[in-house]
Amino acid sequence: MSVAQALTAERVWEALAGVPDPEIPIISVVDLGVVRDVQVDGEHVRVEFTPTFLGCPALDVMRTQMAEAVRELGGEPEVVVVTDGAWSTDRITPAGREKLREAGYGPPTPRPAGPIQLVQLQTGAFRCPYCASTDTRLDNLFGPTACRSIRYCRSCRQPFEQFKTI
Amino acid sequence: MTTQAPPRVDLLLQLADDELVLGWRDSEWTGIAPFLEEDVAFSSIAQTEIGHARAFYELAAAELDTTADELAFDRRPEEYRCAPFVELNLVHDWARSVARRWLYETADALRIAALKASDWPELAGLAAKIEREEAYHALHAGMWHERLTRSPEKGRYADALDKLWPYALGLVEGDQRRLLCEAVGRAEVAAVERGTHVDEWPSLWDEMTMVRRTVPGGTW
């Protein structure tokens, strides 16, 4: 097989930027910051990624779609889940945060130095994605998916989904 | 299926079985919790616990040359290494369910903190990741613990804690028992140890593994 264009890590990153999050398709896996590393060795492409939450049911779909994107470039994919204490929601890109806000999700607040405290979730640091008011309250630590909480905006009287900081 | 796993794999199976079985028990509140928000909370917590179980099983499966699903669902009931604490059927008893969540999260935080110092890099990394996710479970459990401790039904909650305490102590071993006593402000008692199973376990195992046993080798 003749390869018209050499397989490079840069091309793989570009292809992965076209792989949507299965649950929130407006944001890509690259915007979401879950792709940790791409290594290309000839046709072999190793993609390391960390799911936002280990129990995320979208994990297998993401893995399959990333492998497919690599195959479309003519590469032989190896998609590896990496788990360590280094990944946090701080890795979501600025563009990704903006896309989340536009779609009605509160992007995660910056990770504090220590463990998350309840009092931090009750502060005015959370901005309503609809009206930008910070007059919001925590309604439920848990939401429709593992990665989100439910908050309520007192200003525009609208509940919204807030990404958890991890 | 081997029951003579190396010690570090045996530890993984304890952790995985605890998370799987507790996740299963917590999911029994789905649809019938006393508040809609708790339907959501218990369901989400259950999903995350089962996700952690899967990660532990995958690590163990690589050592035993098997798969996470086979470890989770193809063992005989007596081969599971979970603590009797997580097997107890507490659905319909909110006080005991909250008491179990609070005791479990307190004990789990101790052992996850210890695992972060493991000389097995994959396990230490996994523990660090899990610790971040578990922070939300601990907040939820702590919030409910406070609420029930101060409620007019506080006697019922205190009774639930008393009844579950010997079981909770069986989650951890060695020095972690002393740390758990300190963390919850209770004296050490004779623990209900791992390796035994409660009367409710066979029916839970039967339900958990039914699909796998009905369609061996089936994939979805």
Side-chain angles (χ1 to χ4, degrees):
Chain A
M1 194 179 103
S2 68
V3 180
Q5 233 180 323
L7 198 54
T8 61
E10 195 182 1
R11 286 189 63 215
V12 174
W13 277 105
E14 277 172 25
L16 295 177
V19 175
D21 175 315
E23 287 182 342
I24 311 172
I26 44 121
I27 184 169
S28 80
V29 290
V30 173
D31 285 333
L32 201 55
V34 296
V35 181
R36 299 280 292 271
D37 195 21
V38 173
Q39 290 159 21
V40 179
D41 181 12
E43 285 185 359
H44 181 256
V45 177
R46 181 184 163 94
V47 177
E48 291 185 358
F49 91 110
T50 300
T52 54
F53 278 77
L54 291 166
C56 178
L59 194 150
D60 289 325
V61 179
M62 280 183 173
R63 197 165 10 193
T64 308
Q65 289 185 344
M66 284 192 272
E68 193 50 42
V70 170
R71 272 191 211 99
E72 279 175 19
L73 294 177
E76 190 49 51
E78 181 194 4
V79 182
V80 183
V81 176
V82 178
T83 53
D84 56 31
W87 194 87
S88 93
T89 40
D90 289 352
R91 294 197 184 223
I92 298 178
T93 65
R97 284 164 196 278
E98 203 40 54
K99 285 179 191 171
L100 288 176
R101 206 186 327 270
E102 282 170 16
Y105 301 103
T109 51
R111 186 174 165 79
I116 312 272
Q117 306 289 327
L118 199 56
V119 66
Q120 288 160 343
L121 302 174
Q122 292 160 336
T123 63
F126 297 88
R127 195 175 285 280
C128 170
Y130 299 109
C131 76
S133 167
T134 53
D135 188 11
T136 70
R137 67 157 197 255
L138 178 67
D139 263 11
N140 194 335
L141 280 168
F142 301 94
T145 69
C147 57
R148 291 172 249 162
S149 297
I150 303 291
R151 295 189 75 89
Y152 179 78
C153 175
R154 291 191 188 93
S155 181
C156 70
R157 298 179 185 175
Q158 179 72 30
F160 65 92
E161 293 173 23
Q162 169 66 47
F163 265 74
K164 286 179 191 156
T165 297
I166 67 162
Chain B
M1 182 63 55
T2 175
T3 50
Q4 287 302 308
R8 70 179 197 170
V9 176
D10 188 62
L11 173 66
L12 280 178
L13 291 177
Q14 290 181 20
L15 294 160
D17 291 346
D18 280 353
E19 296 275 305
L20 176 72
V21 175
L22 185 60
W24 203 275
R25 283 299 189 203
D26 283 337
S27 79
E28 290 175 332
W29 279 107
T30 302
I32 55 167
F35 310 94
L36 179 60
E37 297 302 345
E38 289 307 313
D39 256 21
V40 175
F42 265 70
S43 307
S44 185
I45 289 168
Q47 187 185 50
T48 313
E49 302 287 18
I50 291 170
H52 297 167
R54 171 173 150 162
F56 286 128
Y57 283 133
E58 281 176 351
L59 210 48
E63 298 280 312
L64 297 173
D65 195 25
T66 179
T67 65
D69 279 341
E70 283 174 50
L71 288 174
F73 300 118
D74 291 351
R75 284 179 295 158
R76 301 294 312 156
E78 62 275 12
E79 290 181 300
Y80 283 73
R81 302 285 293 116
C82 47
F85 183 57
V86 297
E87 298 171 359
L88 295 168
N89 182 359
L90 305 181
V91 79
H92 300 311
D93 189 330
W94 186 247
R96 287 198 197 186
S97 292
V98 169
R100 175 160 65 185
R101 286 236 48 79
W102 181 70
L103 291 168
Y104 184 85
E105 293 303 336
T106 310
D108 197 39
L110 292 172
R111 68 181 176 186
I112 294 293
L115 288 175
K116 278 168 65 185
S118 167
D119 55 11
W120 187 359
E122 286 82 4
L123 180 56
L126 183 56
K129 169 73 175 149
I130 286 174
E131 187 178 57
R132 293 191 171 204
E133 301 186 10
E134 290 285 351
Y136 286 91
H137 296 188
L139 287 178
H140 173 263
M143 206 167 65
W144 269 103
H145 173 74
E146 285 294 308
R147 190 176 293 179
L148 295 192
T149 300
R150 294 173 189 180
S151 79
E153 296 283 342
K154 56 179 178 266
R156 214 174 128 192
Y157 184 61
D159 182 56
L161 287 170
D162 289 344
K163 291 252 167 44
L164 292 178
W165 174 233
Y167 289 90
L169 210 48
L171 279 170
V172 290
E173 286 175 5
D175 198 41
Q176 286 180 15
R177 289 213 173 152
R178 184 183 55 80
L179 295 173
L180 181 58
C181 290
E182 283 173 17
V184 301
R186 285 179 172 265
E188 190 160 346
V189 294
V192 181
E193 303 285 355
R194 231 175 257 284
T196 56
H197 296 280
V198 300
D199 293 345
E200 302 101 300
W201 168 240
S203 60
L204 176 61
W205 175 86
D206 187 61
E207 187 183 301
M208 267 175 38
T209 58
M210 186 180 288
V211 176
R212 289 275 293 187
R213 286 181 290 110
T214 308
V215 192
T219 53
W220 285 269

